[in-house]
Each structure stands twice: as structure tokens, then as C-alpha cells.
Amino acid sequence: MATAKAKLRTSEDVYKRLKQAVQWDEDWAGEDDLWLGYDDGVFGPMEQRLSAFSPIAAGGDLPFTRIWYVRRGDEVLWDRRRRLDALWGSGDTPAIRARTLRAGDAERDRLAAAQTAADIEQARQTLARLEEERQAKLDEKRRRKMRQQRQRASGPSAAGPDALGDGGSPVPAAVPVEVVPRAGGARGAGGGRSDGRRLTLATWNCLEITPAVIDALDASMGFSRTHDHGGELAILSRHAITNAFTVSLGENTSKRALVAEIQVFGKAIVVANVHLTSDRRGERMVDNSAKRRAQAQLLRASLAKHVAQVDVFVCGDFNEPSIDGVEAAVSEMGGLVDAWAALHGDSLRGDTFDPQRNRLASQLAVNTLPRRIDRIFAPAGWATEAAALLGEGMDASDHFGVVATLLAPEKECRSAPVHTSALTLLPPQAEWQRIDAIRQRFDSSFFRWMPHINVLYGFVPEEQFAEAAVAAEAVLRVHGHFEVRLQAFEVLEHPRGASLVLRPESRPEGALEALQAALQAVFPACVEQSRHEEGYRPHLTLGSFETAEAARQAKAELEAAWSPLVFVAAELALLAREGGERFSPRVRAPLGVGLSGADAAMLGALERCGVGLRAFAVGSAALLGALRPADSDLDVLLVGSEDHEVVFGRLCGLPGVAWSRRLEDHPTMLTMSVQGVRVDVQYVRSACRLHPLHW
């Protein structure tokens, strides 16, 4: 009597399980490693990533019945032809693994496996060919756009007198940002200027601008543009603007921020344009610092939610400091660097509203106190090469504009992430015992992981840890230590069961999330921790359970006996493992103490004086961070592989060096005055890539 074959789990079952696995199971590869194989009516065997697939019920166009296999890398996890299921072991999987198929079935399985292998290879070739065709079309589109822009630029200017408004009305203040790659050879999609080593392309944030002015600028310069007509904000760019939206800055105000995603040198950046509430009410002044703080908080929260994985620039009219010197909104720009202050420090005021030097401002002002109220905030890691005022000596606006040239980070780590490494925050080892007492009971990954909070996982391969630590330093040096409190238990439900986790609370609030977002920009391929709808949700896993009810029972038991665990986050750990061994720290990356933007920029300027130079704040800057007294020296440990005489020669040639002095008894020390700051440099010749704290 024939026996019925065991039922094979469906492709829909597989899809749902994998979606949950990549979200909750740390041992699973990310969605970009998972592929669905199907028959296409035009191209034949085809594949698409699991992350790109949408079921019919969610608006997709590929039914589950057309999916033939699912693979992770070269491993086939599910194969309809073979009735193979590596997830549950359904179908003929037990017999295939045990090699107990009957002769006829074994031959059919061999042929089915060969067919699947052939389909995978054909799909790869088809995808490669389609990508080549897509790139060719994009290249032709770029070339066509560049030809059109050159034709416009070489023809008569469209910006005649009437284009600027009624009778020469003032052109609004603009905040241009020039974004420059550090290395030569980059190509942009739009017009620009090249000096043979770099390509400079402009993005302009404009306030209170009229459509006529935008049209005039566009006709003469060929900008991509996005314009918030209601708020009279505009972002103009020679780069391609791929997305734009506005952010409401409060229920009781018409103020909005304009946000644009721009493709720059092969990566996306986000530029936000703001015009915050001023203190002027008719012919008198009031204090709206609290309102501006709330507006800045709403903007940062929206950016963290919608564009947390890219570099963000915030530019515009902050209307601060107030006449009393309060910078409430500016204080909410944590993690970003004020481009003007980073370059000039206190040596150059840079007042953009100055009735004493601006005729229009003197006619319109209620208060005549000069202030630097227009700002450009850039991500940590971007260096300010130049910053200047725009429109001085002209009756163009009651504000001077600000123009800054910013250098892209030295390098990004774009290696494909692996799941044998992670960038983590570890609680103090003295506290592991009481956490592990819980994990040993409930966590199936207890023997693979120590107690940890993932910041980035998967991460770059272990052989790249030295380079990864160097790349992360530009971010870590401006993020100070912060307090972490592990108190709140939470049950995370999913179709395969539930997880019990501790949710970390950081002080200052959001410090851990801000640090993760900044590091995400340095490692743009490592997005698993933040790619889901809710964004990055830090947690320390305590256990996994088959049912949510079992997790809730454990939660009730553990909460009653748990006392909060509070510690100071002072470093991150780069973990790795080989084979079946346990993860262990391979490199430790110390956090800074929250350097001021000016000090961080100074370290960056020193590092650019040689290949592979690394600058570390020591002394008062290392102890006090942004609180370093302005009249104290900036002490720097400079590490490189070149002779100190060569390096010191370059340092003395830095812009803004007023004087320099060598110490006879200490030939590897240099003292100099740079832009009004006394800098004491101790040079160490070493090829070691570790942070000096771990030498």
C-alpha cells in the first residue's frame, strides 16, 4: 500500500519565516543575502532579493506559486522541484539528507538539483546583463543632461533685470554648500568645476526666495531643485535630487523644514533647510528660544525616523543666538558640526546679521546687535575646507549668506557585511554574571554571545577591523561618554515565538541612537539593525521563547527580582568569531569626550598633512572635551609612519599658522599657533593601527 508523501512547506511559509529571522535572529544573514528564484514570462529563470519582494496582498506582482527556490548565497534553503526544505525539514528533506531515496526518486532529485543550479546561473547572467543595460541608459541620460547644461551656460543669460523681482527687490540670503570628495577621479551627474584632482559641485539652501529668482538661477547654472512654495524655502543642487519632503515644526506655527535627498559621488546625503521663528514681534523683541528648541527637536526626530542611515546636513536661518546669547535650537544639533566654528573657532565672528555693515539690515532691524544666525551643520567626519560670508558690500539681502566647502570622509567601509563579526556596546564585565544567569536559562545563543547590545551587525570582516576602527574614530571622537540604564524588560513577539529583551535608556536621551546613526553613515552596507520600519531599536537579548505567553511569564518573574544596571558607555567593541567558537572582542574603540567642533576640525586638519596620519586629543581636551577652556593649549598626539621632520614641515605650512616653535630637548614636539589656538603636537612614528589607549 502506497504511503502519502510528507507535505512540503510552501514558499509563503518560507518567506514569512525568513522575514522574521533576519529581523530577530542574530545568527541569520541579512536580507541582501537571500534570493527568491522564479520563472519570468519574458526573461525565463530570474531572481530577486528577499528584501525587494512584496506579496500580491501588499501590492506586489509575483505570486508565491511562481517561486521555485530560495537560496542564501550558494546554499539552497528551499527547492520546490526537489521537495527540499532546510528550514523545517518538511517534504523529502529527511530522505535527501540521509540519502535513503529510492532509486527512481534519487535520479529525479539529481535532475531537479541540476535544473535548479542551471536556473541560478542563468538568473545571475540575466541580472548582470540587465544591470549593464541600466547603467548604459543612466550614463547616456547624464551625458544628455550635461550637454543641455553646457548649452544653457554658453547661451545668453536668462537672468535679466525683470527676473529678479519687482524693481530689483533684494535677493534672499542663500547658504551654499560645496561638497568635495577627498580623492581625485570622482565624477558628478551635473555641472561643476574640476581642478584635475577633485570635482566641486554646489548645493544651495535659499530662504524667502521667489520663483522668479529660482528660475533665474536655474537658467544660468542648471540646478536640480526642490521648492517649498508655502514656506518660501528652496534647495538647489547641481547633483540629482532624488527625493524631497517637508517637516512641520509645530502645531501652532506655519514653519516647516524642507528636506532633500541628493546623490553625491555615488551615495545619498540629506540636506535640511530651516527658517526658525525669530524674536521679533512687530516693533519689539521677545524671547522665542523655547519655541526654536522645540522646532529643532521636531526636525531631528523626523530626520532620525526617516533618514537615519545617511549623512544629514542642517542649514539655514536659526535666528540664534538671541539678544541674550541663548542658542536653544543650536544646542539640539548634537552629533553635527558647525562648519563655520569648526574652521574659524573664535578668531572670526562671521556675523550674518550685521546692521552696522549691511544697509538693508540697518533699515529693517529692531535690534542692531550683530549675530551669526545663519548656520551650516555638517555630519561628524566631514571636514570644513573653507567657510566665508556671501554678499558683503552688496545690497542683496538683509542677511549675508554663508558658503562652505566640505570634504567628504576620507573613506567609508563598504565591504559586504558578514555575520561572524559585530560592532557592539558591552556592559561592564563585572555585571555579566547576573545577566548570564538569566541568559543561560532562556537564551539559545548563550554559548555564542556574551551579554551585548548590537550597534552594527552584520559587520565588516575581521581582517578589516584595523581599517574599520580608524574609519570609526572620526565619529567616536565627537561623541562623548554617556550613561546607559538597563531596567525596562520588553517582550518582542514574532510568528516563531517571542524574545525577551532589556531596553537600554541612554543619558543624554537618544545618545546611543545618535551614535549608531553616525556610525551607520561610515559603514553604509551594514544596515540590518536599522533597515526596518521602526528604525534602530537597541536591545540586550535575554532569551527566546516558543510562545509570547511563556516570554511574559519569564518577564514577570525576572522583573520582580531585577535591580537596574547603570553604567557609563566609554568604548565600543569589535567582536568576531571563527567556526563554532564564541564571539570575543578583537578591537576596542574608545569613545571621545565630546570634542568641540573646532577641536575636531583641528585634528582633521592635522591628519590631512600626511598619508595615514592619525591625531588624538590628549591633555585638557581629552579630559574636558568641548569644555576645554578657550585659553588652554590643544594637546595632540600625532601618529604616523613618516619622519617627524617631513610631517612638521607640512604642519608649519597649514593655513592660519601664525608662528611655530621647536623644542631642542624634544625633537619630536612642535608648538604652533593656528587660527588663534595654541597647538602642542607630540609626534610618534608608528605603523600600529590600534588606538593609543590599547598600545
Side-chain angles (χ1 to χ4, degrees), residues 238-526:
R238 289 200 184 102
H239 299 281
I241 296 177
T242 54
N243 190 24
F245 60 95
T246 60
V247 177
S248 173
L249 298 183
E251 296 180 355
N252 300 318
T253 179
S254 61
K255 291 288 185 183
R256 305 183 70 84
L258 179 61
V259 182
E261 180 186 82
I262 304 172
Q263 293 296 320
V264 181
F265 308 119
K267 65 171 288 185
I269 65 169
V270 166
V271 177
N273 189 4
V274 300
H275 188 182
L276 304 185
T277 299
S278 76
D279 288 337
R280 179 169 178 168
R281 286 294 175 269
E283 296 303 312
R284 63 188 181 92
M285 300 294 289
V286 298
D287 186 2
N288 279 320
S289 295
K291 183 175 290 187
R292 286 190 294 273
R293 182 189 300 276
Q295 291 170 351
Q297 289 172 342
L298 286 171
L299 173 64
R300 294 303 299 272
S302 180
L303 293 174
K305 178 179 179 181
H306 296 293
V307 292
Q309 299 171 16
V310 298
D311 283 354
V312 173
F313 299 77
V314 180
C315 314
D317 184 351
F318 280 71
N319 270 307
E320 288 185 344
S322 68
I323 57 175
D324 296 322
V326 177
E327 295 189 332
V330 169
S331 69
E332 297 298 325
M333 296 295 113
L336 301 178
V337 177
D338 185 325
W340 182 277
L343 183 67
H344 298 298
D346 296 327
S347 63
L348 195 61
R349 286 177 55 91
D351 295 324
T352 59
F353 179 78
D354 190 351
Q356 300 171 21
R357 298 190 302 122
N358 186 312
R359 186 177 64 86
L360 292 176
S362 66
Q363 293 175 354
L364 300 172
V366 173
N367 183 282
T368 59
L369 179 69
R371 290 173 291 156
R372 186 170 68 90
I373 64 178
D374 301 275
R375 310 284 183 103
I376 297 173
F377 285 94
W382 289 72
T384 306
E385 186 180 58
L389 296 183
L390 187 69
E392 292 179 285
M394 301 169 55
D395 289 339
S397 171
D398 60 336
H399 289 215
F400 298 130
V402 185
V403 59
T405 300
L406 301 168
L407 295 175
E410 189 74 42
K411 63 184 293 186
E412 290 179 342
C413 292
R414 291 186 172 272
S415 298
V418 298
H419 293 82
T420 53
S421 66
L423 180 61
T424 64
L425 173 63
L426 302 180
Q429 195 163 357
E431 301 287 351
W432 287 10
Q433 184 175 359
R434 66 172 175 139
I435 300 174
D436 278 342
I438 300 172
R439 295 181 61 240
Q440 192 166 12
R441 292 175 58 193
F442 300 116
D443 190 1
S444 59
S445 298
F446 171 76
F447 293 103
R448 193 175 298 113
W449 294 88
M450 72 283 287
H452 69 285
I453 300 168
N454 275 328
V455 178
L456 296 176
Y457 174 76
F459 193 51
V460 299
E462 182 182 359
E463 56 267 24
Q464 297 180 19
F465 272 11
E467 291 78 9
V470 172
E473 277 174 14
V475 170
L476 299 181
R477 68 172 42 151
V478 296
H479 282 264
H481 298 180
F482 55 91
E483 181 183 283
V484 178
R485 184 181 185 88
L486 293 172
Q487 179 178 5
F489 288 75
E490 185 174 338
V491 173
L492 305 177
E493 298 185 36
H494 44 83
R496 294 185 298 112
S499 300
L500 179 61
V501 303
L502 280 168
R503 284 284 186 206
E505 301 174 9
S506 53
R507 294 289 183 273
E509 185 177 357
L512 177 54
E513 290 81 355
L515 176 61
Q516 194 275 344
L519 288 167
Q520 182 78 80
V522 178
F523 303 95
C526 306

Side-chain angles (χ1 to χ4, degrees), residues 610-625:
V611 177
L613 279 178
R614 300 169 68 200
F616 303 93
V618 294
S620 59
L623 293 173
L624 302 176

Side-chain angles (χ1 to χ4, degrees), residues 3-11 13 78-80 82-85 88-94:
T3 57
K5 285 192 173 184
K7 184 178 179 181
L8 177 70
R9 297 296 287 260
T10 67
S11 57
D13 293 337
W78 181 87
D79 190 332
R80 185 196 303 273
R82 298 184 65 192
R83 292 176 45 78
L84 172 71
D85 169 17
W88 289 278
S90 66
D92 293 339
T93 306

Side-chain angles (χ1 to χ4, degrees), residues 163-220:
L164 296 179
D166 300 329
S169 60
V171 177
V175 185
V177 182
E178 293 184 319
V179 182
V180 184
R182 291 187 188 273
R187 292 178 179 267
R193 68 176 185 271
S194 173
D195 60 8
R197 186 172 171 272
R198 60 178 57 161
L199 186 68
T200 303
L201 295 152
T203 296
W204 291 62
N205 281 17
C206 302
L207 313 173
E208 300 176 342
I209 190 167
T210 65
V213 174
I214 292 180
D215 290 340
L217 289 170
D218 191 26
S220 61

